Amino acid sequence: MTEEIIIAGFGGQGVLSMGKILAYSGLMQGQEVSWMPSYGPEMRGGTSNVTTIISDERISSPILNKYDTAIILNQQSMDKFESMVKPGGNLLYDPNGIIRHPERKDINIYKVEATHIATEMGNVKVFNMVVLGAYLKIKPIVKMENVMKGLKKSIPVRNHKLLPLNEEAIKNGMKSLVKA
Amino acid sequence: MEKELRLMKGNEAIAEAAIRSGADAYFGYPITPQSEVIEYLMAEKPHERTGMVVLQAESEVAAINMVYGAAGCGRMAMTSSSSPGVSLKQEGISYIAGAELPCLIVNVVRAGPGLGTIQPAQSDYFQSTKGGGHGDYRLIVLAPASVQEMYDFVELGFELAFKYRNPVMIQSDGIIGQMMEKVVIGPQKQRRTPEEIIKQCPWATVGKPTTRERNIITSLDLVAAKQEEFNLKLIKKYKEVKENEVRYELINTEDADYILVAYGSSARLSMKAMDLLRAKGIKVGILRLITLYPYPTKIIGELTKKVKGFLAVEMSAGQMVEDLQLAVQFKKPVAHFGRLGGVIPAPEEIVEALEQKIIGG
């Protein structure tokens, strides 16, 4: 099994940390992982993206231009990455702020109202965990217990009191996935 | 053995490995894409863990000269920077090589020339392997292709530096520096005691006992004949390095008709390209360079007898390919493929380059 994922959105949406938690979850269950952020001028405001790969085998290139799954969280990223999903692959997006919805017929398209759900939960910071939950519903490549272990490793100890809220966000994301 | 598994950036792995390998000192100055090295070291407070000194110097030039001073005292000292910063260090590196001192220099390469851009490149190969500073000297150059190797090559680098009394360079790039991967962290090695340093480094300037003459650290000899004698000694040392320290990895070369020659992040991109080519029925293997100097000339000679052609994949305008051509000696076709300026080639572009430049060429 090799899953090659691009996660792309605005800086501040938790794109990089979502990738990191996913990578840590893979690590926790003994898989090979890689996490490659865009670190160019775009990290200084604007769009942000990370390529995360989880595999049973040695990972070759950490940078790709074809993905099994694209998780898209803003319009710019939709414009850039929709065409880069492998045929038969998955595209997951939050329709909030999306003007031009994905049009490809040869891939599976999913939606999650993550902005809306996070707002309802009273903490917009869990937005990325809602999206992660929706992704794990599509591709349960890592077990929930390992996600929680990965989460614990990824966030500072002072924020560990927020682990239950994050878990709830992941579960809400799983429940709210819609196939487009 | 207290072995530990972590998810780390390449730059962080360099920093943690420095502490764990029992290094005495790190001197540096921040520059993208390697600033995490000093950031991590500052946050970890290694002076509390092992007594290791970490200092942000006022410039790259100051940092390399601090390394020079510490190395002269037999200490395990290192610095890190990215391309423009490493250019600044070249005078110091030449002096350290001329004084035959061990140290570790890390270059997380970005695109140039000049300030260039902060994106990854491999355009410092000439500078690393052919002597970026003046005079007839060589660095031993290690090229990590994973975060694990970023970690492992710190200890290896120090080991080689002390074995040959020569500066060692880790030439990485923005991809390997910034990416996170799984790392197996080794146990903490104790820093050497002053007595152990004197024993290991009888040349070190650590105070003169009455039992021996003064130790002098210098790269100056105004007598031409003596300087030549010293140059010949260096050449003898580099010959030994070439005989003993060549490191590389062969991937799927047994049945290969074509070889991609690459190092660092280019080797990773090439592995993906190899999978794509093999899926098309084209038998491709990879020679991944681990040491850039010494260059694996001998194995290339052996491969030349078996294969139909070579493609050097490097994110430069064609630097390492010159050494490849020298090793192949025009017996088989050799071509170069690379993107420049911080643009990272897609594996599909490597496939196309091999098909057009070598198979169809």
Side-chain angles (χ1 to χ4, degrees):
Chain A
M1 189 284 298
T2 297
E3 169 78 348
E4 299 171 332
I5 312 154
I6 179 86
I7 310 171
F10 287 118
Q13 279 180 318
V15 165
L16 299 186
S17 58
M18 193 197 321
K20 188 177 172 184
I21 290 158
L22 202 49
Y24 242 126
S25 312
L27 182 75
M28 289 297 135
Q29 53 189 40
Q31 282 164 306
E32 298 297 324
V33 298
S34 78
W35 175 96
M36 180 67 211
S38 56
Y39 72 89
E42 62 267 43
M43 75 181 259
R44 282 134 212 216
T47 62
S48 166
N49 69 68
V50 61
T51 303
T52 302
I53 306 172
I54 299 181
S55 180
D56 297 329
E57 289 153 34
R58 180 179 178 182
I59 293 169
S60 56
S61 177
I63 294 181
L64 305 160
N65 64 349
K66 293 268 188 295
Y67 305 96
D68 296 308
T69 301
I71 300 174
I72 293 174
L73 304 171
N74 67 9
Q75 185 61 53
Q76 289 96 317
S77 303
M78 185 68 83
D79 297 340
K80 187 171 176 189
F81 293 111
E82 182 188 353
S83 61
M84 296 188 181
V85 179
K86 292 177 196 170
N90 305 298
L91 188 157
L92 168 67
Y93 75 110
D94 179 350
N96 182 50
I98 298 291
I99 306 156
R100 194 194 60 75
H101 290 257
E103 287 162 356
R104 279 180 63 181
K105 302 284 177 236
D106 60 338
I107 58 173
N108 305 304
I109 295 168
Y110 299 90
K111 283 193 276 194
V112 62
E113 294 277 357
T115 312
H116 181 67
I117 293 164
T119 311
E120 273 195 344
M121 286 179 70
N123 188 339
V124 288
K125 284 185 182 169
V126 297
F127 164 80
N128 62 345
M129 291 300 98
V130 178
V131 179
L132 178 63
Y135 167 70
L136 291 173
K137 181 79 183 174
I138 306 168
K139 284 235 161 167
I141 52 168
V142 282
K143 286 190 190 136
M144 191 61 192
E145 57 180 277
N146 292 321
V147 175
M148 290 314 290
K149 279 188 203 162
L151 198 56
K152 217 170 164 177
K153 285 263 188 188
S154 301
I155 64 177
V157 177
R158 64 174 187 279
N159 290 337
H160 278 188
K161 58 181 185 293
L162 295 171
L163 285 171
L165 182 71
N166 279 282
E167 187 172 8
E168 195 192 329
I170 293 169
K171 286 182 176 157
N172 283 343
M174 286 176 167
K175 276 186 269 180
S176 312
L177 179 76
V178 179
K179 186 143 199 250
Chain B
M1 291 282 276
E2 34 162 326
K3 281 219 169 152
E4 197 187 318
L5 212 54
R6 279 199 216 166
L7 186 69
M8 290 182 116
K9 281 193 170 195
N11 290 334
E12 296 170 341
I14 290 270
E16 181 63 31
I19 304 172
R20 298 252 175 173
S21 60
D24 296 301
Y26 170 92
F27 306 106
Y29 189 81
I31 179 172
T32 304
Q34 68 78 54
S35 295
E36 291 85 358
V37 178
I38 194 165
E39 281 169 14
Y40 185 96
L41 284 170
M42 287 291 179
E44 276 297 313
K45 298 190 180 115
H47 55 280
E48 288 175 12
R49 281 173 58 180
T50 66
M52 176 185 173
V53 171
V54 178
L55 193 141
Q56 179 174 327
E58 65 268 36
S59 70
E60 287 87 349
V61 176
I64 191 69
N65 283 291
M66 289 174 184
V67 169
Y68 187 9
C73 302
R75 300 286 172 164
M76 280 171 71
M78 68 181 286
T79 186
S80 67
S81 191
S82 179
S83 309
V86 176
S87 289
L88 286 167
K89 291 182 196 290
Q90 291 303 325
E91 182 200 43
I93 295 172
S94 170
Y95 277 55
I96 293 169
E100 288 207 272
L101 294 177
C103 74
L104 182 64
I105 303 142
V106 180
N107 184 1
V108 183
V109 179
R110 60 190 246 183
L115 278 178
T117 181
I118 62 175
Q119 314 282 7
Q122 296 180 310
S123 42
D124 295 357
Y125 178 90
F126 284 157
Q127 189 193 53
S128 305
T129 62
K130 314 280 178 197
H134 61 281
D136 270 319
Y137 77 92
R138 296 286 195 170
L139 302 178
I140 299 169
V141 186
L142 301 167
S146 65
V147 178
Q148 184 69 55
E149 285 188 341
M150 287 286 256
Y151 184 89
D152 295 339
F153 288 0
V154 171
E155 194 173 328
L156 174 65
F158 273 125
E159 196 185 300
L160 294 171
F162 277 84
K163 183 174 174 189
Y164 293 100
R165 280 184 65 184
N166 202 72
V168 170
M169 176 170 277
I170 293 179
Q171 190 193 309
S172 174
D173 62 64
I175 296 175
I176 307 292
Q178 291 295 324
M179 74 185 294
M180 283 204 284
E181 282 184 319
K182 182 166 84 176
V183 190
V184 180
I185 304 278
Q188 176 68 53
K189 279 182 74 175
Q190 290 299 310
R191 283 176 54 234
R192 294 160 307 154
T193 62
E195 293 74 28
E196 286 168 336
I197 291 171
I198 290 170
K199 207 172 158 213
Q200 189 189 7
C201 314
W203 44 263
T205 47
V206 286
K208 182 192 167 302
T210 51
T211 49
R212 65 160 165 82
E213 289 297 302
R214 283 191 303 164
N215 281 341
I216 300 170
I217 303 291
T218 182
S219 62
L220 174 74
D221 202 325
L222 292 172
V223 182
K226 278 193 165 179
Q227 180 63 31
E228 188 186 42
E229 207 178 290
F230 175 71
N231 287 133
L232 292 171
K233 184 184 163 205
L234 284 186
I235 290 170
K236 194 168 158 254
K237 174 163 83 176
Y238 302 141
K239 191 167 167 269
E240 251 177 74
V241 168
K242 277 195 248 181
E243 277 161 13
N244 301 326
E245 307 302 343
V246 172
R247 287 169 168 80
Y248 56 84
E249 182 187 4
L250 293 173
I251 308 167
N252 288 342
T253 53
E254 298 81 13
D255 66 337
D257 290 327
Y258 304 97
I259 303 286
L260 303 174
V261 185
Y263 65 91
S265 53
S266 283
R268 301 286 296 267
L269 297 163
S270 296
M271 280 163 65
K272 189 83 185 175
M274 178 185 72
D275 291 344
L276 297 171
L277 284 156
R278 285 204 168 245
K280 287 179 162 193
I282 302 167
K283 287 179 186 162
V284 172
I286 292 175
L287 168 64
R288 176 171 80 87
L289 312 180
I290 295 174
T291 48
L292 303 185
Y293 183 89
Y295 196 80
T297 309
K298 203 174 142 206
I299 184 69
I300 291 171
E302 286 165 26
L303 289 168
T304 302
K305 291 177 201 149
K306 299 198 308 191
V307 305
K308 295 177 184 163
F310 297 86
L311 182 71
V313 182
E314 46 174 339
M315 292 188 289
S316 78
Q319 301 192 11
M320 184 270 285
V321 68
E322 292 190 2
D323 285 331
L324 177 61
Q325 189 60 273
L326 278 173
V328 175
Q329 296 181 339
F330 297 94
K331 287 174 186 158
K332 291 287 164 65
V334 169
H336 164 261
F337 172 72
R339 295 294 301 265
L340 306 167
V343 177
I344 300 158
E348 289 80 0
E349 289 179 271
I350 301 172
V351 169
E352 204 181 310
L354 183 77
E355 287 177 333
Q356 287 178 1
K357 295 184 177 192
I358 295 293
I359 301 175

